[in-house]
């Protein structure tokens, strides 16, 4: 009699414990196969899933500025066991404009929710005309304007988040009638260089991600604040961009009083010469932690006439290998990472284009 | 530094041997547990709701004591310590100043990790209360061998304008990390009091509270608006080599 009671109880316990254990918390995209496009001219070359970033890059061998939107992509998506993506019907992904990043919310079997982002990588860079800006919240809790549609979706980045604690935003949109340009300006974090925590902070706009953790952990090394580069697999011959530049009046060198101590402040000295801006693009082949530079296009410029001028900067290829990433950088002070430049130096850019 | 420690150990052994015949000196190893760390001063600078979690670490050392009479004994020790603790606090407009007078303020949740390795030279006086029980007090000097002082802030607001942090809406977007390792001073001194209890002819248990009289930071460190002082509790046992 006792056995008859105990066995069903144990069975129930086992069922309960098993059912809890078996529910998966994984909410991942395991694979995505592209099976067709609404626009037959689109050519799919590869799909890359970056699980740790919850991002998928769909590579197309097209220049989507030459195509009409929306475009629809038919796909076969395999999710984690038991996971569901309510926003995906029959694997169809629709993109309403060239800069759209598709957000897919995946719900795991146990209810865990994870957002994934689908990017289309084509022959031009997302938001290449710098038209899209969004309102973010800086470290000081205040709103400011940042490039892109959102922090997670933008392939462009600035150092605005890092300087937001001083209410300083060196890269901002410059609105004109029916056009938006990017204004990149060298600033300082106080009223004068001498009373500033950071006497000079170069404005920058780049493809990649601003690494706020790197900036905070390495305040004496500005390079640690940038994760340059975005996925890219084409081989352009040049970059074309409209720009104008005005160097700031007082060209200074700020030197850390103690090389490893940001609290010790800077000694600021005025130096000979004039500030320069830098516009450059690098094609790289990355594999794990290693990176090989395959091609570089670079323009360093002093003050230009006060009119936007289109300039073509050719890539100088040093390898025939195929790239995996592209870094494009605009900075208002070429030696800003060395705390050298002129406060007020202003680089204005518009309409970036990759030439093939 | 290690040569100096070795020299002290050998000196204690030498003294012990030299005077062992007179039975006035004794020599003992110490084994104890350290609990403690550093606390802000003035105490009013400790934020409401702040908490600390000291991590217990073993302490080892040696000592010698001299019996003056039935009531009084004096001791000199050499002890190696590792103390570590984590303090957490919700801070409002915690100020960090820079040497040029500029400042930033942080409002949010903070965690501070402190770890110090040091050798300590306590000079002790023991007063016999009654059978096997002694009150002890003394002074110490410590040489800091290695130190870590790291403050991380999470989900807060960071600004050079105090109004922003005074009126911060949390959670905020700012995470911060400040390392003050290089500003830790390399010595400390202070007072200690305690109590010891003989549990055998040779073994006695003791407890001590050590309070530092100087900030753990170097004198010209003014980047945070309060000082921090050592406060430690030692609980241990000593074994007299001669009964």
């Amino acid at each position: 009699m006792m056995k008859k009671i105990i066995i069903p109880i144990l069975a129930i316990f086992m069922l309960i414990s098993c059912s809890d254990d078996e529910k998966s918390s994984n909410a991942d995209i395991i694979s995505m196969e592209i099976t067709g496009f609404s626009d037959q001219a689109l050519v799919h070359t590869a799909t890359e899933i970056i699980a740790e970033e919850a991002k998928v890059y769909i590579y197309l061998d097209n220049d989507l500025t030459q195509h009409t939107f929306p475009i629809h992509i038919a796909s076969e998506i395999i999710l984690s066991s038991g996971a569901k993506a309510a926003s995906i019907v029959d694997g169809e992904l629709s993109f309403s404009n060239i800069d759209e990043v598709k957000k897919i919310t995946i719900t795991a079997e146990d209810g865990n929710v994870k957002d994934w982002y689908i990017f289309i990588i084509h022959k031009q860079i997302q938001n290449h005309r710098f038209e899209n800006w969004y309102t973010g919240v800086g470290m000081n809790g205040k709103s400011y304007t940042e490039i892109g549609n959102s922090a997670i979706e933008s392939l462009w980045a600035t150092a605005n988040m890092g300087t937001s604690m001083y209410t300083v935003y060196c890269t901002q949109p410059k609105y004109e009638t029916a056009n938006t340009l990017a204004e990149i300006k060298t600033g300082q974090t106080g009223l004068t260089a001498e009373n500033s925590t950071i006497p000079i902070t170069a404005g920058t706009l780049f493809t990649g991600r601003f690494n706020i953790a790197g900036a905070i952990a390495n305040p004496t090394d500005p390079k640690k604040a940038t994760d340059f580069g975005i996925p890219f697999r084409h081989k352009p011959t040049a970059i074309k961009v409209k720009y104008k530049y005005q160097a700031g009046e007082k060209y200074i060198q700020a030197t850390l009083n103690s090389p490893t101590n940001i609290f010790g402040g800077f000694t600021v000295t005025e130096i000979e010469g004039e500030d320069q801006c830098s516009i450059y693009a690098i094609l790289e082949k990355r594999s794990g932690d290693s990176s090989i530079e395959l091609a570089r296009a670079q323009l360093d410029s002093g003050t230009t006439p006060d009119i936007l001028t289109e300039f073509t900067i050719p890539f100088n290829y040093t390898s025939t290998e195929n790239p995996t990433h592209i870094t494009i950088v605009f900075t208002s002070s070429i030696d800003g990472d060395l705390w050298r430049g002129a406060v007020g130096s202003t680089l204005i850019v518009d309409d970036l284009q990759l030439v093939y | 530094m290690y040569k100096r420690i070795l020299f002290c150990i050998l000196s204690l052994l030498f003294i012990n041997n030299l005077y062992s015949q007179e039975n006035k000196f004794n020599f003992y190893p110490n084994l104890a547990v350290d609990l403690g760390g550093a606390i802000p001063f003035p105490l009013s600078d400790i934020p409401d709701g702040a908490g600390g979690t000291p991590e217990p670490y073993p302490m080892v050392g040696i000592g010698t004591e001299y019996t003056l009479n039935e009531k009084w004994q004096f001791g000199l020790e050499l002890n190696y310590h590792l103390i570590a603790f984590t303090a957490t606090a919700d801070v409002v407009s915690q100020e960090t100043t820079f040497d040029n007078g500029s400042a930033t303020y942080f409002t949010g949740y903070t965690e501070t990790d402190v770890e110090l390795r040091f050798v300590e030279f306590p000079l002790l006086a023991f007063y016999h209360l009654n059978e096997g029980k002694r009150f002890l007090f003394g002074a110490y000097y410590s040489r800091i061998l290695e130190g870590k002082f790291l403050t991380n802030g999470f989900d807060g607001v960071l600004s050079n304008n105090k109004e922003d942090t005074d009126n911060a809406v949390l959670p905020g977007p700012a995470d911060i990390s400040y390392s003050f390792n290089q500003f830790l001073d390399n010595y400390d001194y202070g007072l200690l009091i305690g109590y010891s209890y003989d549990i055998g002819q040779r073994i006695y248990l003791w407890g001590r509270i050590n309070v530092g009289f100087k900030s753990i930071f170097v004198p010209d460190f003014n980047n945070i608006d309060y000082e921090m002082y050592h406060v430690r509790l030692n609980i241990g046992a000593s074994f007299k080599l001669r009964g």
Side-chain angles (χ1 to χ4, degrees):
Chain A
M1 183 63 194
M2 202 58 150
K3 277 184 183 174
K4 286 180 182 176
I5 296 170
I6 289 171
I7 288 170
I9 290 172
L10 285 174
I12 290 167
F13 270 118
M14 285 176 72
L15 278 172
I16 291 169
S17 60
C18 285
S19 61
D20 280 346
D21 289 345
E22 284 174 5
K23 278 193 176 177
S24 168
S25 62
N26 295 332
D28 292 323
I29 293 176
I30 305 299
S31 71
M32 178 184 286
E33 185 181 348
I34 305 302
T35 54
F37 295 96
S38 57
D39 183 340
Q40 297 302 314
L42 295 178
V43 179
H44 173 243
T45 56
T47 302
E48 185 179 22
I49 297 172
I50 311 289
E52 57 270 25
E53 297 176 13
K55 290 177 180 174
V56 177
Y57 297 98
I58 299 172
Y59 295 92
L60 301 183
D61 192 24
N62 302 87
D63 180 345
L64 290 186
T65 59
Q66 310 298 320
H67 290 257
T68 305
F69 277 79
I71 62 171
H72 305 285
I73 300 176
S75 68
E76 288 179 5
I77 303 173
I78 297 175
L79 305 178
S80 303
S81 176
K84 290 187 173 66
S87 60
I88 302 288
V89 179
D90 295 333
E92 183 175 298
L93 302 165
S94 295
F95 292 83
S96 60
N97 64 72
I98 191 170
D99 295 326
E100 183 176 355
V101 175
K102 202 80 199 163
K103 177 180 162 184
I104 299 176
T105 300
I106 298 177
T107 306
E109 194 178 25
D110 71 349
N112 178 40
V113 172
K114 187 174 179 180
D115 290 333
W116 279 71
Y117 296 86
I118 316 292
F119 294 76
I120 294 182
I121 304 297
H122 59 108
K123 287 190 169 182
Q124 299 299 329
I125 305 293
Q126 177 205 70
N127 197 16
H128 65 292
R129 297 189 188 282
F130 311 123
E131 295 296 317
N132 302 330
W133 299 76
Y134 70 95
T135 300
V137 177
M139 287 202 285
N140 58 358
K142 291 179 175 173
S143 298
Y144 73 101
T145 306
E146 186 61 278
I147 192 158
N149 288 325
S150 74
I152 189 83
E153 294 173 43
S154 180
L155 295 178
W156 291 96
T158 74
N160 287 339
M161 189 61 166
T163 55
S164 63
M165 71 181 86
Y166 307 107
T167 324
V168 170
Y169 312 104
C170 292
T171 303
Q172 287 293 284
K174 186 177 173 65
Y175 297 108
E176 291 182 342
T177 310
N179 187 31
T180 306
L181 309 93
E183 183 179 74
I184 304 154
K185 196 180 255 189
T186 299
Q188 61 192 15
T189 63
L191 294 176
T192 66
E194 286 72 20
N195 72 7
S196 294
T197 307
I198 311 291
I200 184 159
T201 170
T204 184
L205 172 62
F206 60 94
T207 55
R209 192 174 67 89
F210 182 73
N211 185 343
I212 187 69
I216 293 289
N218 305 279
T220 58
D221 186 356
K223 283 183 176 172
K224 296 276 173 60
T226 48
D227 290 341
F228 286 130
I230 56 170
F232 190 78
R233 297 191 177 186
H234 302 286
K235 297 174 89 170
T237 56
I239 62 171
K240 192 188 285 186
V241 66
K242 293 174 187 165
Y243 86 100
K244 65 178 181 178
Y245 182 66
Q246 175 67 55
E249 287 183 6
K250 196 174 167 184
Y251 193 38
I252 61 167
Q253 172 70 61
T255 306
L256 281 161
N257 293 326
S258 169
T260 58
N261 172 20
I262 195 72
F263 299 108
F266 291 81
T267 298
V268 179
T269 51
E270 197 166 344
I271 55 176
E272 290 290 320
E274 186 190 68
D275 202 2
Q276 285 191 308
C277 69
S278 187
I279 300 169
Y280 65 89
I282 300 170
L283 291 166
E284 291 168 282
K285 183 181 180 183
R286 295 184 183 175
S287 177
D289 291 333
S290 70
S291 171
I292 305 167
E293 183 176 314
L294 309 178
R296 176 181 282 256
Q298 182 153 354
L299 170 70
D300 303 332
S301 169
T303 298
T304 65
D306 187 22
I307 183 168
L308 276 180
T309 305
E310 190 170 78
F311 207 90
T312 300
I313 312 163
F315 274 103
N316 177 28
Y317 278 85
T318 52
S319 169
T320 56
E321 292 201 67
N322 292 319
T324 61
H325 287 76
I326 188 169
T327 297
I328 301 175
V329 179
F330 301 95
T331 179
S332 52
S333 291
I334 186 171
D335 293 322
D337 58 325
L338 304 173
W339 315 104
R340 187 185 306 142
V343 174
S345 291
T346 305
L347 170 65
I348 294 176
V349 295
D350 195 18
D351 296 341
L352 171 73
Q353 195 182 340
L354 294 172
V355 182
Y356 292 87
Chain B
M1 187 65 211
Y2 292 104
K3 282 183 181 173
R4 288 183 195 172
I5 297 168
L6 186 63
F7 175 76
C8 292
I9 293 168
L10 291 173
S11 300
L12 286 167
L13 286 168
F14 176 74
I15 291 166
N16 187 62
N17 287 333
L18 193 63
Y19 292 98
S20 59
Q21 297 302 318
E22 297 178 20
N23 208 24
K24 287 198 167 188
F25 276 89
N26 210 330
F27 179 76
Y28 54 89
N30 290 326
L31 185 61
V33 173
D34 267 320
L35 269 178
I39 61 168
F41 188 82
L43 296 177
S44 57
D45 280 325
I46 300 174
D48 291 340
T53 310
E55 297 169 29
Y57 278 98
M59 179 215 89
V60 292
I62 52 171
T64 186
E65 65 183 27
Y66 174 76
T67 302
L68 186 67
N69 54 42
E70 283 187 354
K71 282 290 184 185
W72 289 94
Q73 286 169 315
F74 295 97
L76 176 64
E77 295 180 355
L78 169 64
N79 299 318
Y80 175 78
H81 296 261
L82 166 61
I83 59 168
F85 73 98
T86 300
T88 59
D90 291 322
V91 299
V92 177
S93 294
Q94 181 170 295
E95 184 177 7
T96 304
T97 55
F98 295 77
D99 290 357
N100 67 354
S102 60
T104 60
Y105 304 89
F106 180 77
T107 293
Y109 173 77
T110 62
E111 277 184 10
T112 300
D113 288 317
V114 182
E115 187 177 299
L116 296 166
R117 294 173 189 272
F118 57 94
V119 287
E120 175 199 52
F121 304 91
L123 187 61
L124 303 160
F126 300 89
Y127 180 75
H128 282 256
L129 298 169
N130 49 43
E131 189 61 34
K133 296 171 185 170
R134 295 186 296 176
F135 171 72
L136 67 92
F137 60 94
Y140 73 85
Y141 172 85
S142 298
R143 195 75 183 170
I144 313 292
L145 307 174
E146 191 179 1
K148 179 181 93 172
F149 193 108
L150 186 66
T151 294
N152 291 307
F154 305 98
D155 300 333
V157 171
L158 176 68
S159 178
N160 65 342
N161 183 349
K162 192 166 177 288
E163 280 184 23
D164 293 343
T165 51
D166 283 346
N167 302 303
V169 178
L170 297 179
D175 293 338
I176 62 163
S177 179
Y178 291 134
S179 170
F180 297 116
N181 296 357
Q182 61 186 305
F183 304 111
L184 292 169
D185 211 344
N186 61 1
Y187 74 99
D188 181 45
Y189 58 84
L191 296 179
L192 61 93
I193 59 169
Y195 183 82
S196 79
Y197 178 71
D198 294 346
I199 59 170
Q201 195 174 5
R202 288 187 167 191
I203 300 175
Y204 58 95
L205 303 178
W206 47 265
R208 300 172 189 170
I209 293 173
N210 303 259
V211 179
F213 272 36
K214 73 171 290 295
S215 170
I216 65 171
F217 296 115
V218 293
D220 59 353
F221 175 67
N222 299 307
N223 300 111
I224 56 177
D225 58 358
Y226 50 84
E227 302 286 357
M228 294 198 75
Y229 290 81
H230 286 261
V231 176
R232 286 180 285 117
L233 171 67
N234 293 148
I235 299 170
S238 298
F239 178 78
K240 292 178 186 175
L241 294 185
R242 288 187 295 107

